[in-house]
Structures are given as C-alpha cells and as structure tokens.
Amino acid sequence: MHSTLQPIVILISGGGSNMAAIVRTAQKDAWGERLRAQVVAVVSNKPHAGGLRLARAQGIATEVLEHSAYANREIFDQALAAAIARYDQPQRPCLVVLAGFMRILTPGFVAEHAGRLLNIHPSLLPAFAGLHTHQRALDAGCKFAGATVHQVSAELDAGAILEQSVVPVLAMDTAETLAQRVLATEHQIYPRAIARWLAQRQAQAGESPIR
Ligand code: GRF
C-alpha cells in the first residue's frame, strides 16, 4: 500500500451491500489517487456475513471477530480496536465505517475513534433511532422515510448528521418494500459522505491529489 494513503476499515454484520457500494465507488472514482484513500479491510462480527465473500472477491483483506467468543462488550471492543489498529498508518489512523454493523460500541471504543467513526442508519434521524425503523415509520404514518449518515457518538444514532436521503412512503409499502427503496439510496449517500470526509481530511492536512 502507498504509505500516504488514508486507510479505511469497514465493519459489517450481514449482506454488505453498503460496503460493496463504497468499494465500487472507491474504484470508479479513483479514491486512491484523488482522495489518497483505500479500503484496506472488512471486519465482520458474524462468520457467515455475505459481505465477507464480496470483499474477498475484490481482493480486500477480511477478518472475523465473533462477538460471542468474547466475555463481554469491553473485551470484544478492545479486540476490535486492536484488529483495526493493525491497519493504521503512521500519523494516519483508520477511518472506521460501520456498514450494517449490528453491535453497540462501548464509550471507550467510540472515544478512541472519535471524528473518524461513521455510521449509516435507515431512518431520517433524529426520528427512529434503534431497530425496526421502517415498520416504525409505517406505524407512525410517515409520508417520507430515508437514511442518515452520521458521525458516531457515545449516544446511539445521535452523532452529527453528514448526509440524508429522502424516500416517499407509498400506500402499498410494507417494511420490506420501504427498506429496499431506502437501501438503494444508502448506496448513493454513504460513498458520497465518505468522499467528503476524505476531502476535508486532505484539505486539513494541506495535501493535494496524487494526480
Ligand atoms: C442497512 O439498511 C443499514 O442502514 C442498516 O443495516 C442495513 C445493512 O445492509 N444499519 P447491508 O449489509 O449494507 O446490505
């Protein structure tokens, strides 16, 4: 790896379609050259997460840390932080991207990665933090639903909002059909929010693109 590239580690628990969208965009938009960044690893807390196969097919390093093998949340998060830290570059710790990572992180982990820890949540935050967002939006009679990319803070789904997408709720929608349409928009806004984060980091460091 080029020593000046900003490492990105993506954490998943499932299908990994957001992770795949990020990897695709990174290739298509030449993040290596334009944003001096590279997806270096995909880490899953589930050994059978479909996203692992996708990542391997792209030649990206994968790791599995099964949370059930750890005595408690703190010990799991310490192991997770250590796995991520192996990809840190000198002066350049990893950007950590949660993409369908279904674990609540400890305050210690969040503090250690503050400012470089992003998440996508399938609702228009601050509405519907937590689980079952689409069913809750339908039950509440919402006319619009969507997704939010945000910085991760100690409080669940409550960090600074970076991007949002809006999707109209249709009369015949079920939680599944709504989830599908929202997910398609997640694939647009997550890579865009990450690219913006990387561009800001580059500007702060006074760097220009490699070409
Ligand atoms: C997405 O809807 C994400 O917002 C939520 O879980 C889903 C993950 O999908 N947290 P995928 O694994 O990226 O396909």
Side-chain angles (χ1 to χ4, degrees), residues 14-19 99-102 119-122 134 183 186-187:
S17 70
N18 276 293
M19 176 274 296
F101 184 66
M102 303 303 284
N119 183 41
I120 191 156
H121 182 75
H134 304 298
L183 187 61
E186 295 180 35
H187 301 160

Side-chain angles (χ1 to χ4, degrees), residues 7-11 19 38-43 55 60-63 83 87:
I8 303 171
V9 173
I10 304 180
L11 308 190
M19 176 274 296
Q38 183 182 25
V39 177
V40 290
V42 170
V43 180
I60 298 170
T62 59
E63 299 201 26
Y87 296 95

Side-chain angles (χ1 to χ4, degrees), residues 51-135:
L52 288 169
R53 228 181 13 245
L54 282 174
R56 287 186 197 118
Q58 294 295 321
I60 298 170
T62 59
E63 299 201 26
V64 174
L65 271 76
E66 235 179 311
H67 62 271
S68 53
Y70 295 84
N72 60 42
R73 213 174 266 286
E74 279 72 25
I75 294 174
F76 172 73
D77 277 11
Q78 281 162 18
L80 185 61
I84 294 167
R86 284 203 294 277
Y87 296 95
D88 286 348
Q89 289 290 307
Q91 318 294 324
R92 195 150 303 182
C94 293
L95 170 63
V96 181
V97 171
L98 310 180
F101 184 66
M102 303 303 284
R103 298 283 306 164
I104 293 177
L105 295 163
T106 53
F109 183 98
V110 173
E112 188 182 340
H113 300 84
R116 53 188 178 92
L117 184 56
L118 309 183
N119 183 41
I120 191 156
H121 182 75
S123 80
L124 289 170
L125 289 173
F128 308 125
L131 296 175
H132 311 302
T133 54
H134 304 298
Q135 190 58 54

